[in-house]
Amino acid sequence: MELPDFMSYAGKFSQSDFVEKISSIAKRAGAKLVYAALILFYTLQSNKVSAKDKAIIIGALGYMISPLDVIPDAIPIAGLTDDLAVLVYVLKKVWVDVEDDVKVKAKEKLSKWFDEDEIAEIDDLF
């Protein structure tokens, strides 16, 4: 799968839209996508991340929020695969800057939407 130009979606990102979107799609999207999105969201809030990395995180989260992307989110199963691909791609780029407390915070948030078996999926994030 070729990644879309997710940076063109940077203007679509807002904190409130992210929270609304992730809450509404959590179960349908799966623990892996939600965990990746939460890590990027919490990493974005860190003052230890470069402006360049923040820009690509904003682009990826904006892409996830946007209803207009390569595979529309409304299409069952396939609709979120492009979102996951973009999130994992960006997460790999910034992974060295992701602090342990961010991973813990994201995992704690997952427990609100998923059971332990579902959360185990994040062990194979990449």
Side-chain angles (χ1 to χ4, degrees):
M1 171 195 279
E2 185 176 322
L3 289 178
D5 177 18
F6 60 86
M7 289 306 296
S8 65
Y9 291 83
K12 304 249 184 243
F13 175 77
S14 77
Q15 185 169 339
S16 61
D17 287 347
F18 172 80
V19 170
E20 182 180 325
K21 175 80 174 207
I22 205 73
S23 297
S24 69
I25 67 163
K27 275 301 211 183
R28 184 169 56 98
K32 203 177 277 194
L33 184 144
V34 174
Y35 184 63
L38 288 170
I39 287 178
L40 290 174
F41 179 71
Y42 294 138
T43 299
L44 182 63
Q45 297 171 5
S46 171
N47 59 0
K48 297 178 182 176
V49 179
S50 71
K52 177 185 165 212
D53 285 348
K54 285 186 177 194
I56 65 170
I57 290 170
I58 288 170
L61 294 177
Y63 184 83
M64 188 199 82
I65 291 169
S66 176
L68 304 173
D69 51 24
V70 174
I71 304 172
D73 295 346
I75 296 174
I77 302 170
L80 296 169
T81 57
D82 60 324
D83 294 340
L84 179 60
V86 167
L87 294 175
V88 169
Y89 173 80
V90 171
L91 192 53
K92 283 182 179 181
K93 287 192 161 301
V94 301
W95 190 252
V96 296
D97 294 325
V98 176
E99 297 178 349
D100 289 337
D101 65 318
V102 166
K103 295 173 191 174
V104 169
K105 190 175 180 180
K107 197 168 184 178
E108 287 173 356
K109 188 71 169 177
L110 280 182
S111 68
K112 293 183 178 191
W113 294 307
F114 300 97
D115 62 32
E116 286 301 316
D117 290 340
E118 293 168 313
I119 292 173
E121 292 176 20
I122 69 170
D123 294 336
D124 185 28
L125 187 59
F126 302 115

